[in-house]
Amino acid sequence: MRSHRPIPRKNKSILVGICLLLISVAVILISLNTGSIRLSPMEVWRTFLGYGSADNQLVLFEYRLPRILITMLAGIGLGVSGALLQGITRNGLADPGILGLHSGAALGLIVFVSFFHSMKGTPTLLIPIFAFAGGVITAILIMALAYDRYKGIVPIRLILVGIAVAAGFSAVTLFLSLRLDDATYSFTARWLVGNVWGRDWVHVIALLPWIGLFVPFALTKWKILNSFSLGDETTSGLGIAVSRERLLLLLTAVALSSASVAMTGGIGFLGLVAPHLARRLVGPMYQYVLPIAGLVGLVILVASDTIGRSIFQPNAIPAGIVVAAVGAPYFLFLLARTK
């Protein structure tokens, strides 16, 4: 009898990547065809070729396409960010939302609207910077409180400290939001539940450089992340500056998550689920986990936004609620399995 050899991991990851790309294309096409104003596949195709009506061009190019691009970029950013955090902390429960980074980004966003009182035009380009600053402050505070000089960063302490810091920052965010006008307060309330608000091309331009720069940088660090799984002492023995590399990767994760949620709202659990699914598909090696986690995040967020704004019409459901409906039970499942 001929023995069946297992598929090499590299070939398997390529196959999984191709499948996810095909699924991504299908989800994007479905998203282009659905919404409060439905366009048939033929109408979408004709509009792309320049033969669509003025109304179809307005819906497709000014509303639907920028929103889809925002969810694509943010899904990749959150998926890769979650994989980075789980790698540098050696904690499978790490997630930008659970660790409190989203609460810091929310605080940065509230500070932005307190100064500019507008979410449109050129000042929008500064929103990811404010969110990143809030995320960095949160990350520094969490890492400092979770650090033990004998044991290093204790994973369970990281989770607990993240929850506590998130609660504190959320209280400050709520206090500042109460001082805003009614329209801006309504926006922040929708943001906190994960309502995708980035729907203009300026929002795509604001987010694209962050994903375009930090995702490729993260992909080049797969050897460092693989060595972290062996422990800090072994990693240091390999000639790697553990503290410096961990700080660089932490800042990269904060940049990706903060910029992403700045345009899509407080999307929780996506950074937790995407890396776990990626590891189940391609194994634990980060040269495969990072790109697959990004693709899984893209599929989940675009699909969630499409479901929220099409199936539940006329009342659209924020994408964050759809993601949480899947992510929260999965988090509890992982928490129950973790000793």
Side-chain angles (χ1 to χ4, degrees), residues 3-23:
S3 61
H4 295 281
R5 294 182 180 180
I7 301 175
R9 187 161 291 172
K10 181 178 180 180
N11 294 344
K12 182 179 179 181
S13 66
I14 293 174
L15 181 61
V16 170
I18 293 174
C19 291
L20 285 173
L21 284 174
L22 293 176
I23 294 173

Side-chain angles (χ1 to χ4, degrees), residues 6 21 25 35 40-41 63 99 107 136 139 152 160 187 223 235 269 307 319:
L21 284 174
V25 171
S40 67
Y63 294 103
L99 293 183
L107 181 60
V136 167
L160 296 175
F187 163 79
K223 292 182 179 179
T235 303
F269 299 107
I307 291 171

Side-chain angles (χ1 to χ4, degrees), residues 78 94-100 102-103 191-195 257 261 264-274 300-301 304 318-331:
L78 290 171
D95 166 80
I98 297 171
L99 293 183
H102 288 179
S103 63
W191 186 96
L192 291 173
V193 296
N195 186 58
S257 63
V261 300
T264 60
I267 305 292
F269 299 107
L270 182 56
L272 171 77
V273 174
I300 292 176
L301 189 54
S304 298
I321 294 178
V322 180
V323 174
V326 177
Y330 190 68
F331 172 71

Side-chain angles (χ1 to χ4, degrees), residues 16-208:
V16 170
I18 293 174
C19 291
L20 285 173
L21 284 174
L22 293 176
I23 294 173
S24 301
V25 171
V27 171
I28 291 167
L29 291 176
I30 293 172
S31 186
L32 286 171
N33 294 331
T34 58
S36 56
I37 300 175
R38 294 189 177 275
L39 301 178
S40 67
M42 185 57 65
E43 287 178 317
V44 171
W45 180 247
R46 288 176 56 83
T47 304
F48 269 120
L49 294 178
Y51 298 106
S53 65
D55 290 340
N56 288 351
Q57 291 181 8
L58 179 66
V59 170
L60 192 63
F61 292 114
E62 298 301 324
Y63 294 103
R64 200 162 291 174
L65 192 57
R67 178 168 182 155
I68 292 173
L69 289 174
I70 286 289
T71 52
M72 290 171 60
L73 293 171
I76 293 172
L78 290 171
V80 174
S81 175
L84 290 176
L85 289 174
Q86 291 177 15
I88 62 180
T89 63
R90 298 193 300 275
N91 184 354
L93 297 178
D95 166 80
I98 297 171
L99 293 183
L101 299 182
H102 288 179
S103 63
L107 181 60
L109 184 73
I110 292 298
V111 172
F112 172 86
V113 297
S114 298
F115 277 101
F116 290 94
H117 304 287
S118 175
M119 305 299 292
K120 298 181 179 179
T122 304
T124 302
L125 299 174
L126 299 175
I127 293 177
I129 298 177
F130 277 77
F132 175 64
V136 167
I137 293 172
T138 307
I140 292 173
L141 184 60
I142 291 172
M143 298 293 277
L145 294 175
Y147 182 79
D148 185 281
R149 64 177 180 177
Y150 299 109
K151 300 179 181 179
I153 297 175
V154 182
I156 189 62
R157 183 183 293 181
L158 195 71
I159 297 293
L160 296 175
V161 169
I163 293 173
V165 170
F169 273 65
S170 297
V172 176
T173 299
L174 179 60
F175 172 76
L176 293 177
S177 64
L178 292 174
R179 303 167 64 90
L180 302 173
D181 58 83
D182 292 341
T184 309
Y185 175 78
S186 177
F187 163 79
T188 58
R190 294 194 304 271
W191 186 96
L192 291 173
V193 296
N195 186 58
V196 179
W197 67 274
R199 305 174 188 179
D200 296 329
W201 287 105
V202 67
H203 301 138
V204 178
I205 295 172
L207 180 57
L208 182 60

